[in-house]
Amino acid sequence: MGLAIVVLVGGISLLRGHPLLGGSAISLGLIFTFVQYSQRFNQPIQQIAVLWTNIQSAIAGGERIFGLLDIPTTLEENPNAVEMPPIEGHVVFEEVEMSYNPGEPVLQGIEFEAKPGQMIAIVGPTGAGKTTMINLIPRFYDADSGSVRIDGHDVRDVSLPSLRRQIGIVLQDTFLFSDTVMNNIRYGKLDATDEEVIAAAKMVAADSFIERLPDGYETLLGERGSGLSQGQRQLIAIARVALMNPRVLILDEATSSVDTRTERIIQAAFEKLLAGRTSFVIAHRLSTIRNADQVFMVKAGQIAERGTHDELLEQQGAYYDLYMSQFRRQEEPAAAPNGNRPIAEPAQSGD
Ligand SMILES: Nc1ncnc2c1ncn2[C@@H]1O[C@H](COP(=O)(O)OP(=O)(O)OP(=O)(O)O)[C@@H](O)[C@H]1O
Ligand SMILES: [Mg+2]
C-alpha cells in the first residue's frame, strides 16, 4: 500500500507539473528514490515480524521440552535398594491393586504364587489387565497397594538394573536395532562371544533362517528390524532371551501373522526356552495353555478362575466360554467336528 500511495501521489504530482504541497514540481528520479527509501524502511519491519514468529515457535517448543522434563518419575529407585541376588524364580503377588489413573483400578486383589520352574498361562478378554499384570514383575509400573515379591524380595526394594537383568521378556512387538543380526542377539548379554550368540540361536532353531540371510549373522538389519518377517523378528528376540538365560521369563505370544511352519518353529523355541524357568505367558495358543502348570483367567482386573486347563474346563465357567469361542477352533482337526461332548479331551500326543 505504501508503494502504491507513493507511486500514485508521485505520479499525479509529476504529470500535473506543479507541486502538491507548496514546493516545486518533483522529478521522476525523486519518486524512484522515495520508493527505494520506503522499501528500506519496510525491510527491517518485515524481518522483525519473521523474527517474532520464530521466537513464538521457540517459546512453544521450550514449553513442551520443560513440560516433559517436569513430568514426575513414577518409579523412584529406593535409596536403600539392594542388588537382587541371583533369582531362583519364586514369584508371589499379594493383594495387588493397580491403576493407571487414580480412582480407576485396572487390577484388584491379584493374589498368586508361582513356584520356581512353573509355567503360568494368562488368558482373558482384551483389556482385562493381562499386560498390566506382567508389567509389574520387571517393575515397569508399581502396584498401588499390595506387593510383588521375587524370592521373597519386594521388587521395590531391589535396584532396577539388577532386577531387569534377570528377567527375560519377549513381547508381541519385538524391538530390533538397526545393526547386525549378531549384535541384535548379543543385546541379551553384552559380553557374549560370537560362539555364545550362535549357540543361543541354534538352541531356539533360529540359525537356519539366519544362515540363509545374505550375510548370515553379519546381515545389517534396517530400522526396527525391517527386512525381516514378524516371525523372524520374534525368533531373534527369543534367541536374545535364550542368550540372556534368565530364571524368570515373560512372553506375550503373537496372535497371528506368522505362517504355520514359522509358528511351529517359534512354538518349539518357546518350549525349549521355558523348560525349567518360571514363566508367565499371555497365551493365545491352546498348546501353551495345556502345558501350563496354572492357568489364570483374568477378567475385569481380577483372576476370575484359576487351575489347570482341564480343571477350568470342568468348572464350565468363563474359561469354558472362552475356550468354546476361541481355542476350540485350534484343535478342530484333532477333535470330532460335531462332537457333542466338548469337555471330553482327545489324548494330546506331542506334536
Ligand atoms: N498406559 C496406560 N494408561 C492408562 N490406561 C491403560 C494403560 N495401559 C492399559 N490401560 C488400561 O488398562 C486396562 C488393562 O489393559 P491391559 O493392557 O493390561 O489389557 P490386556 O488384558 O493386556 O489386553 P490385550 O489382550 O488387548 O493385550 C485397559 O482398560 C486399558 O485401557
Ligand atoms: Mg496386552
Side-chain angles (χ1 to χ4, degrees):
M1 279 178 73
L3 186 66
I5 292 170
V6 169
V7 170
L8 194 73
V9 174
I12 291 170
S13 325
L14 182 72
L15 288 177
R16 284 196 183 157
H18 61 76
L20 193 68
L21 295 167
S24 56
I26 58 171
S27 68
L28 187 64
L30 183 63
I31 299 174
F32 187 73
T33 313
F34 205 86
V35 168
Q36 291 269 306
Y37 280 147
S38 70
Q39 277 180 354
R40 285 207 192 162
F41 177 70
N42 277 339
Q43 259 178 15
I45 293 179
Q46 279 173 1
Q47 279 172 355
I48 288 175
V50 171
L51 203 66
W52 185 240
T53 324
N54 285 343
I55 290 174
Q56 291 270 317
S57 47
I59 290 174
E63 269 172 16
R64 291 198 188 171
I65 289 174
F66 288 110
L68 266 179
L69 290 178
D70 285 345
I71 294 175
T73 328
T74 44
L75 281 177
E76 298 278 347
E77 181 101 279
N78 185 339
N80 305 318
V82 293
E83 282 276 301
M84 182 80 198
I87 291 181
E88 213 183 301
H90 189 238
V91 180
V92 176
F93 272 51
E94 217 165 62
E95 284 295 326
V96 169
E97 283 206 26
M98 146 89 199
S99 59
Y100 291 104
N101 304 315
E104 295 169 31
V106 172
L107 293 180
Q108 277 173 306
I110 302 288
E111 183 130 8
F112 66 80
E113 176 182 4
K115 300 220 167 71
Q118 272 196 336
M119 170 178 170
I120 314 291
I122 302 170
V123 296
T126 183
K130 307 182 292 293
T131 306
T132 309
M133 213 162 108
I134 56 161
N135 275 345
L136 297 178
I137 302 170
R139 205 182 163 209
F140 290 149
Y141 294 95
D142 268 338
D144 296 346
S145 67
S147 65
V148 176
R149 279 180 286 131
I150 301 179
D151 295 349
H153 295 270
D154 193 308
V155 291
R156 283 167 295 200
D157 296 337
V158 294
S159 77
L160 283 177
S162 70
L163 173 71
R164 293 184 182 162
R165 209 168 37 227
Q166 302 190 62
I167 298 178
I169 305 174
V170 181
L171 296 176
Q172 271 173 291
D173 187 21
T174 50
F175 192 93
L176 298 184
F177 296 96
S178 167
D179 199 343
T180 60
V181 172
M182 181 75 84
N183 285 339
N184 263 293
I185 299 178
R186 205 194 315 268
Y187 190 69
K189 184 178 165 220
L190 294 176
D191 56 357
T193 61
D194 287 3
E195 288 70 34
E196 284 178 285
V197 171
I198 294 170
K202 282 216 168 88
M203 177 188 150
V204 299
D207 62 322
S208 59
F209 100 80
I210 294 174
E211 271 156 17
R212 268 182 278 120
L213 292 173
D215 297 317
Y217 282 87
E218 295 306 321
T219 308
L220 265 180
L221 300 181
E223 199 62 40
R224 285 190 154 246
S226 63
L228 292 182
S229 75
Q230 207 200 344
Q232 290 170 334
R233 268 180 258 167
Q234 203 165 31
L235 274 175
I236 290 186
I238 297 172
R240 189 189 272 173
V241 172
L243 179 67
M244 192 180 166
N245 195 16
R247 296 298 311 158
V248 177
L249 257 181
I250 293 171
L251 307 176
D252 206 338
E253 277 191 346
T255 30
S256 54
S257 63
V258 286
D259 61 89
T260 30
R261 205 182 92 86
T262 315
E263 160 123 19
R264 223 173 297 141
I265 295 176
I266 292 180
Q267 180 67 36
F270 270 153
E271 273 165 26
K272 273 223 184 94
L273 203 60
L274 296 180
R277 303 167 207 270
T278 313
S279 53
F280 297 85
V281 185
I282 297 183
H284 298 289
R285 291 190 195 89
L286 189 59
S287 50
T288 313
I289 303 173
R290 278 177 194 280
N291 291 335
D293 298 294
Q294 302 185 59
V295 179
F296 296 159
M297 168 81 202
V298 181
K299 229 179 145 182
Q302 286 172 321
I303 301 183
E305 292 170 19
R306 63 180 84 200
T308 61
H309 169 74
D310 294 332
E311 288 166 5
L312 289 183
L313 276 187
E314 263 166 45
Q315 284 183 21
Q316 301 228 357
Y319 178 77
Y320 177 81
D321 295 339
L322 185 81
Y323 170 77
M324 292 308 278
S325 68
Q326 205 177 326
F327 296 123
R328 202 168 142 63
R329 251 175 290 136
Q330 295 178 19
E331 64 177 0
E332 215 92 289
N338 293 319
N340 50 6
R341 292 180 56 228
I343 304 173
E345 292 286 319
Q348 176 81 350
S349 57
D351 287 336

